[in-house]
Amino acid sequence: MEQTQSYTNTSTKRAWIAEQARLHPERVFNSLHHLIDMDWMREAYRHTRKDGASGIDGVKAADYERELEANLESLLERIKSGCYAAPPVRRHYIPKADGRMRPLGIPTLEDKVAQRAIVMLLEPIYEADFLSCSYGFRPGRSAHEALDTVYESLGRQGHRWVIDADLAGYFDSIPHSEIRAALDLRIKDGVVRRMIDCWLRAGVLEAGTLHKSESGTPQGGVVSPLIANLFLHHVLDRWFVETVQPRLRGASQLVRFADDFVMTFAEAADGQRVLAVLGKRLGRFGLTLHATKTHYVDFRPPPEAAGHGPHTSFDFLGFTHVWGRSRRGYWVVRQLTAKQRLARGLKAVNEWCKRHRHAPLADQQKRLASVIRGHCNYYGLTGNGKSLGLFRYQVVRIWQKWLSRRSRKSRVNWDRMTEVLHRHPLPPAKVVRTIYAS
């Protein structure tokens, strides 16, 4: 009952914020923090991920929950009094598909709760402002909706030229001064702004050394996706919709998922004009287009595009967009699993099977079945069945390889592997989503 009342109280307040933001698009909110109470903090904690790695204090969810009410009351008091001091995030590295290491920032659990509480205040305001071309890290929106929009533009609306853009180090390069300027347009509540400044200044702790920067969103923070979306909303989305599109001859479309975006055009000259000014526009705000990863793509179907440059396909959100033949022989747009994503997924399977090759077969089957279902849930689009089948086949081969290395006498040939799969079956690779709905 207490949880239901907490949700109702918080939900009502957030609905009021959203309504005010919708009715008054130019309003600057000077006072919001008074809406945060213990019900709000309980909801913030409920929506905080609790199974992640711990921050620099080593506190896990089980530790925090032993005195949950007292801890939340203390956190609420520190937020409202201005005494909250954001701890630096802990640096951790994970391997990338190309062999390099990707740095991650891991905040403390309490810092995640504090960030969630502030995000719950800001999200209703900015959801009223954000445009329909933005899909990443927004409630009720998904990567598949972004992919559907791209397919619609290319397949049904006849857009044939694409700017395949890549921002160099986006989350690390946004100047803090520009973040504050973007926030000024809507948020001037002193408590909220003080909290965000704390996170911007918190820095990263690596090997006992504290590193601070005047650019970048809070490392690994719950508030980072919202800040990133807010910045590109002003720098890119509004600029494209309000300034660029009215000056173009033909139809066009921007589809953005966080910092990953494509622009599609019906007229070749329109795309060339936009590409010529896009880098300058982003540069005004401290951002840089990746020189070797940003392309202007001639996406006309064969044989129209034959001989018209090296870039006739592009990757977006893990899918390579190409032309293929339908069963009736027509040229249609295909969204296929990108080679790098396929390789990355199989590498993760190989590493897991290697580490757990001595685990019971039932446990291994449970894990690998989950991997295949998860892969199909994301990549299982119509027309991508061949890539799905290849992924499942390779998972089986990897499993067989590491079962054969359990011991010198545990050689598993294909006949024995067939018996294993009969006793511990893996789910089939199947298409679970259609992008061709009428």
Side-chain angles (χ1 to χ4, degrees), residues 187-261:
I187 307 297
K188 289 193 175 179
D189 181 295
V191 170
V192 174
R193 294 298 298 270
R194 188 184 305 114
M195 291 294 291
I196 294 175
D197 275 343
C198 280
W199 292 316
L200 293 176
R201 296 193 304 262
V204 175
L205 189 65
E206 181 176 5
T209 302
L210 180 62
H211 303 275
K212 294 192 176 185
S213 174
E214 290 300 316
S215 63
T217 60
Q219 293 278 319
V222 177
V223 74
S224 290
L226 181 63
I227 291 176
N229 268 337
L230 166 64
F231 192 63
L232 280 182
H233 167 73
H234 290 289
V235 173
L236 182 67
D237 301 355
R238 288 187 58 187
W239 172 72
F240 186 82
V241 171
E242 298 173 4
T243 303
V244 173
Q245 283 186 316
R247 291 170 167 79
L248 301 181
R249 293 179 56 190
S252 60
Q253 178 72 57
L254 166 66
V255 181
R256 181 175 67 81
F257 192 95
D259 63 326
D260 196 0
F261 67 92

Side-chain angles (χ1 to χ4, degrees), residues 17 20-21 24-33 35 118-127 129-130 179-197 199 223 226-227 230 234:
I17 297 172
Q20 293 300 307
H24 308 287
E26 303 301 323
R27 176 177 177 178
V28 178
F29 289 83
N30 295 300
S31 181
L32 286 171
H33 70 274
L35 297 173
I118 299 302
V119 167
M120 287 165 55
L121 274 179
L122 301 182
E123 192 174 69
I125 297 172
Y126 290 120
E127 278 301 305
D129 294 349
F130 289 162
I179 293 175
R180 295 183 179 101
L183 287 166
D184 282 342
L185 299 176
R186 273 297 214 176
I187 307 297
K188 289 193 175 179
D189 181 295
V191 170
V192 174
R193 294 298 298 270
R194 188 184 305 114
M195 291 294 291
I196 294 175
D197 275 343
W199 292 316
V223 74
L226 181 63
I227 291 176
L230 166 64
H234 290 289

Side-chain angles (χ1 to χ4, degrees), residues 5 28 65 101 127 148 242 275 280-281 314 369 413:
Q5 291 175 343
V28 178
E65 288 176 357
M101 302 300 288
E127 278 301 305
D148 288 347
E242 298 173 4
L275 183 59
K280 298 176 184 177
R281 169 66 182 183
F314 65 95
N413 59 26

Side-chain angles (χ1 to χ4, degrees), residues 33-299:
H33 70 274
H34 65 279
L35 297 173
I36 305 178
D37 55 16
M38 278 300 293
D39 285 342
W40 193 282
M41 297 304 296
R42 293 187 191 100
E43 281 301 296
Y45 184 77
R46 189 169 70 87
H47 284 93
T48 298
R49 181 179 173 182
K50 303 172 183 65
D51 59 350
S54 57
I56 62 171
D57 61 357
V59 174
K60 296 184 177 296
D63 305 319
Y64 200 78
E65 288 176 357
R66 292 193 186 100
E67 299 289 342
L68 181 59
E69 287 295 303
N71 287 330
L72 293 179
E73 286 181 3
S74 172
L75 178 58
L76 175 61
E77 172 60 27
R78 281 177 282 144
I79 290 174
K80 290 200 168 187
S81 66
C83 296
Y84 183 79
V89 301
R90 178 169 67 86
R91 176 72 82 202
H92 178 68
Y93 290 90
I94 60 172
K96 298 174 65 174
D98 59 7
R100 294 181 298 169
M101 302 300 288
R102 180 190 300 276
L104 295 179
I106 304 176
T108 65
L109 177 69
E110 184 172 74
D111 202 47
K112 293 178 185 177
V113 177
Q115 291 193 35
R116 177 61 63 188
I118 299 302
V119 167
M120 287 165 55
L121 274 179
L122 301 182
E123 192 174 69
I125 297 172
Y126 290 120
E127 278 301 305
D129 294 349
F130 289 162
L131 304 181
S132 60
C133 59
S134 167
Y135 293 87
F137 306 107
R138 294 181 58 188
R141 313 208 90 192
S142 70
H144 288 110
E145 290 178 317
L147 290 164
D148 288 347
T149 303
V150 172
Y151 174 80
E152 180 76 16
S153 298
L154 300 173
R156 295 180 178 173
Q157 296 179 12
H159 295 190
R160 293 293 179 261
W161 284 268
V162 179
I163 294 177
D164 175 19
D166 187 279
L167 292 176
Y170 172 64
F171 286 90
D172 295 327
S173 60
I174 309 176
H176 290 172
S177 59
E178 296 290 352
I179 293 175
R180 295 183 179 101
L183 287 166
D184 282 342
L185 299 176
R186 273 297 214 176
I187 307 297
K188 289 193 175 179
D189 181 295
V191 170
V192 174
R193 294 298 298 270
R194 188 184 305 114
M195 291 294 291
I196 294 175
D197 275 343
C198 280
W199 292 316
L200 293 176
R201 296 193 304 262
V204 175
L205 189 65
E206 181 176 5
T209 302
L210 180 62
H211 303 275
K212 294 192 176 185
S213 174
E214 290 300 316
S215 63
T217 60
Q219 293 278 319
V222 177
V223 74
S224 290
L226 181 63
I227 291 176
N229 268 337
L230 166 64
F231 192 63
L232 280 182
H233 167 73
H234 290 289
V235 173
L236 182 67
D237 301 355
R238 288 187 58 187
W239 172 72
F240 186 82
V241 171
E242 298 173 4
T243 303
V244 173
Q245 283 186 316
R247 291 170 167 79
L248 301 181
R249 293 179 56 190
S252 60
Q253 178 72 57
L254 166 66
V255 181
R256 181 175 67 81
F257 192 95
D259 63 326
D260 196 0
F261 67 92
V262 296
M263 297 173 174
T264 63
F265 304 89
E267 299 284 343
D270 286 343
Q272 291 168 344
R273 288 173 59 200
V274 174
L275 183 59
V277 299
L278 179 60
K280 298 176 184 177
R281 169 66 182 183
L282 297 172
R284 287 176 52 192
F285 298 91
L287 305 180
T288 306
L289 282 174
H290 200 295
T292 60
K293 295 183 179 180
T294 298
H295 309 296
Y296 188 56
V297 181
D298 180 350
F299 202 74

Side-chain angles (χ1 to χ4, degrees), residues 351-368 399 402-407 410 412 420 423-424:
E351 291 298 321
W352 190 90
C353 287
K354 178 181 179 181
R355 292 195 307 270
H356 298 86
R357 62 185 182 274
H358 297 295
L361 288 179
D363 292 346
Q364 295 188 47
Q365 181 273 343
K366 183 178 179 180
R367 168 71 178 196
L368 295 178
W399 194 16
W402 289 108
L403 289 180
S404 294
R405 299 184 184 184
R406 284 155 69 102
S407 69
S410 62
V412 178
V420 170
R423 296 195 307 270
H424 305 282

